[in-house]
Amino acid sequence: MGDLLQPWHLILLAVVAFLLFGAKRLPELGKGLGEGLKGFREGIRGITDPPPPPPAPPTQQQNTPPPPVSNAPIEPK
């Protein structure tokens, strides 16, 4: 299996692809293949990444007693 992708094999595959598809179609095929791979990677990234943490619940304030009220009489003005 290691002898499958030698330089001469790759050159032969490139020549066959050029003869089958022509010079105009090869860039279009490359672009389509690149976009497909990009979409596949984005899809895999969404599956393998851990989900974002849920939003933190609102913090409850401690019930602190109001400041003490003085018992001094209020003088009218």
Side-chain angles (χ1 to χ4, degrees):
M1 198 75 189
D3 295 334
L4 184 63
L5 295 177
Q6 292 196 5
W8 285 108
H9 293 151
L10 296 176
I11 292 171
L12 181 63
L13 286 174
V15 169
V16 169
F18 180 75
L19 291 175
L20 286 176
F21 299 110
K24 291 185 179 182
R25 291 281 309 213
L26 285 178
E28 294 172 8
L29 290 173
K31 180 181 177 184
L33 181 64
E35 289 175 353
L37 285 174
K38 181 179 178 182
F40 179 74
R41 287 182 188 146
E42 289 174 357
I44 292 296
R45 185 179 307 132
I47 293 173
T48 58
D49 287 348
T59 57
Q60 296 179 351
Q61 295 180 354
Q62 295 179 352
N63 293 334
T64 57
V69 178
S70 71
N71 290 337
I74 299 175
E75 296 181 19
K77 290 186 179 185

